[in-house]
Amino acid sequence: MSEGQSGHANFVLPLLRPGMRVLALGCVPPAGRGDVRLMASLGTATHPLCVVGVDVDVDDLSEARHASLLSAVSTTEFVASSPTALALRSASFDVVYAHGVLDRVREPRCVLAECARVLRPGGLLALSTPDWSRTRVTPRTANVDAALRGWTMLRKREGGDPAAGRHVEDWVRFAGFSDIRSRARFHRGADYRQLGRTIESELAEVLRDAGEHMDPQLASAARSAWMWVRGGQGEVSQCWVETVAVR
C-alpha cells in the first residue's frame, strides 16, 4: 500500500556518492523500481553509481529489468534472492536501502543480519519502515477502525508486523549497527477509498480461501471495509520511520 513515486528514497539521496555500490531490497513494486532508477542516475559517466535490486519474485524482477533497460539506466542489476539469505558476497556494498521490507517478513532481525553481512565496514544502512499504528485516516469512522483492526490481524497472522516502524531502531541496534538516527515522516498514502478497497479485497480473498472455516472477526472486518469504501471521501497520511545507521 505504498504511494508510488512519492519520494520515499529522498532521505537516502544525500548519502550517495558516485562510485558507490548500493543494494536496494524489495525493489519490485513500482515505487521500488523508481527508487532504483533514481539512485542509479546520481552517478557520473566516469564514476557510475551501481545499484543492485533484490526481490524474491523472478517474474516481477524481469519486468523491473526491462523497465530499467527502457529508461537507459545501465548501472543497475537485479537479483532474485530471499532477504534472509542474500545471494551476494559479504562486505560488497557501501549502502543498503530497504523500503517497506521489515514489516512484511517473519524474521526482520535475520534480514538486518544479512544487511550487516553484505555491507562494508563503515557502510550505511537506510530503512524506510511503516508504522500503521500512527497512520492518520480522516474521517476515522467505526468502520475504518474495524477494517484496519482486521487487516492488522491478518498481516500478523501472515508473519508481518504493520507497526514494524516502532521497533526498527531496537532491531537495528541488536544487529550491531551504530550511530543510529531515526525520524518519523508522514506521506500522503493511498486514496482514502482506495485504501478501504484494498483492505476489503485482501480480507475477502482470505475469507474465500477459508471457505466454511471463515474467521468471524475477519468477516466482520471485511464488511466494515465494504461500508468504508461506500462512504464519503477522506484523507490518508501514512507514517514511515526513516532510519540511518552505520555498519
Side-chain angles (χ1 to χ4, degrees), residues 77-132:
E77 304 172 24
F78 295 93
V79 176
S81 180
S82 165
T84 57
L86 293 170
L88 299 165
R89 290 186 295 108
S90 299
S92 57
F93 289 91
D94 301 292
V95 178
V96 172
Y97 167 66
H99 167 64
V101 173
L102 297 184
D103 60 307
R104 293 186 173 273
V105 295
R106 292 183 180 276
E107 301 174 305
R109 291 187 180 188
C110 290
V111 174
L112 291 171
E114 278 294 273
C115 292
R117 180 183 66 80
V118 300
L119 273 171
R120 296 180 177 128
L124 297 176
L125 175 70
L127 306 171
S128 178
T129 310
D131 180 358
W132 276 89

Side-chain angles (χ1 to χ4, degrees), residues 116-195:
R117 180 183 66 80
V118 300
L119 273 171
R120 296 180 177 128
L124 297 176
L125 175 70
L127 306 171
S128 178
T129 310
D131 180 358
W132 276 89
S133 70
R134 285 193 276 175
T135 290
R136 300 165 181 167
V137 183
T138 307
R140 188 93 179 207
T141 67
N143 282 320
V144 168
D145 276 336
L148 285 171
R149 281 197 303 271
W151 177 76
T152 298
M153 180 190 307
L154 174 62
R155 289 282 306 280
K156 287 182 176 179
R157 289 183 183 180
E158 292 175 341
D161 182 359
R166 71 165 68 172
H167 309 298
V168 67
E169 191 168 336
D170 289 337
W171 293 341
V172 168
R173 187 173 292 106
F174 182 85
F177 288 88
S178 61
D179 193 17
I180 303 167
R181 291 160 284 158
S182 279
R183 68 175 178 180
R185 185 187 295 274
F186 287 84
H187 292 261
R188 281 292 298 270
D191 173 82
Y192 180 79
R193 293 171 70 179
Q194 182 57 49
L195 175 57

Side-chain angles (χ1 to χ4, degrees), residues 27 99 109 120 150 226 229 238:
C27 67
H99 167 64
R109 291 187 180 188
R120 296 180 177 128
W226 188 91
V229 171
Q238 190 176 350

